[in-house]
Amino acid sequence: MDTFKTLEIKESIFENNNIQADLLRDEMKREKVFLLNLMSSPGSGKTTTLVSTIETLKGEMNIGIMEADIDSDVDAHTIAQTGTRVIQLHTGGMCHLDADMTRQGLTGLNTDNLDLAILENVGNLVCPAEFDTGAAKNAMILSVPEGDDKPLKYPLMFSIADVLLINKIDTIDYFDFDLEAVKARARKLNPNITIIPISAKTGQGVELWADWLRNQVRVWNQT
């Protein structure tokens, strides 16, 4: 019979990451840079939403974007076309970013003179929800074509999100998507979540989303 010692390390890994995340938040607070962690599954419209956000807030605040992917730099090229400061982060096969990886990204981005830094996390609804990146707030996107059952399948993601953007709302007539059911399921998991239906393509709801960001940045700098 084999004898060996089993060491449970998951808790300590998360504990160390949480410490690093708190340190990073403190640094961003002193620098007056609001860091947003944006999460979703692939194809939900994260990059298109970012482009709409940049266009709406252009002239009001300085924005920097970190595009995280396992590989490719397609999204960074899209953001660069807006004239916004952007950096591409390759995770080397990892399906999420943690606080230390986010810190490396911010160093590469250069946060000097930034008001808002947005991390577009790796596209999936599992791993990114498990790691605190050091962001001031967590945002997630659920697109209409993905279905209204996602809060039932991925409860942690909805539990840790401060704001839920329901994107591609302009397609709701073409899919079996119950908007009120999604809202109810999300609020059951997270009573304090803010829910904003948007269409990054048509601009519907984007101003409400921009208002949420304006308020968060203002509060971050005042407290």
Side-chain angles (χ1 to χ4, degrees):
M1 183 177 182
D2 293 331
T3 59
F4 54 84
K5 182 178 180 180
T6 300
L7 178 64
E8 297 291 343
I9 63 170
K10 184 175 182 180
E11 182 176 353
S12 62
I13 289 173
F14 283 121
E15 182 180 0
N16 180 66
N17 182 71
N18 291 341
I19 292 170
Q20 295 304 315
D22 286 338
L23 290 173
L24 181 56
R25 255 186 298 275
D26 289 343
E27 291 174 23
M28 293 297 99
K29 189 76 170 178
R30 289 193 296 271
E31 293 181 20
K32 294 188 179 299
V33 178
F34 182 86
L35 173 60
L36 179 76
N37 179 28
L38 180 62
M39 300 170 286
S40 78
S41 32
S44 66
K46 285 196 302 297
T47 306
T48 305
T49 298
L50 284 178
V51 170
S52 295
T53 303
I54 290 165
E55 293 299 328
T56 302
L57 295 174
K58 186 177 291 185
E60 297 182 41
M61 60 180 74
N62 295 322
I63 303 173
I65 306 294
M66 295 179 287
E67 290 285 349
D69 269 309
I70 292 174
D71 203 350
S72 91
D73 55 8
V74 174
D75 292 339
H77 280 294
T78 301
I79 296 297
Q81 291 175 15
T82 69
T84 302
R85 192 185 309 178
V86 61
I87 189 171
Q88 181 72 56
L89 309 179
H90 285 164
T91 64
M94 298 186 69
C95 61
H96 67 276
L97 266 73
D98 60 18
D100 184 63
M101 296 163 75
T102 302
R103 182 191 298 278
Q104 293 178 54
L106 288 167
T107 300
L109 180 67
N110 184 7
T111 57
D112 289 350
N113 301 316
L114 287 186
D115 303 299
L116 171 63
I118 301 178
L119 167 63
E120 181 179 335
N121 216 316
V122 181
N124 74 82
L125 295 178
V126 182
C127 303
E130 296 179 338
F131 288 84
D132 190 341
T133 61
K137 296 291 181 180
N138 293 313
M140 71 162 294
I141 300 176
L142 171 68
S143 66
V144 168
E146 292 175 75
D148 55 31
D149 60 350
K150 293 302 176 288
L152 303 175
K153 293 183 175 181
Y154 305 100
L156 181 60
M157 176 63 76
F158 290 84
S159 297
I160 61 99
D162 298 288
V163 59
L164 165 63
L165 303 180
I166 302 178
N167 192 25
K168 305 185 184 181
I169 201 69
D170 54 304
T171 68
I172 198 166
D173 292 338
Y174 303 97
F175 293 91
D176 185 14
F177 186 92
D178 189 331
L179 180 60
E180 295 308 313
V182 170
K183 291 180 178 179
R185 290 164 179 165
R187 286 178 176 138
K188 184 177 181 180
L189 293 166
N190 183 353
N192 297 318
I193 195 170
T194 297
I195 302 175
I196 308 174
I198 70 166
S199 169
K201 181 178 180 180
T202 68
Q204 180 182 349
V206 172
E207 189 62 38
L208 291 174
W209 160 235
D211 281 341
W212 185 88
L213 281 171
R214 292 181 184 108
N215 182 63
Q216 295 300 322
V217 172
R218 182 170 59 251
V219 170
W220 181 250
N221 290 330
Q222 290 176 347
T223 56

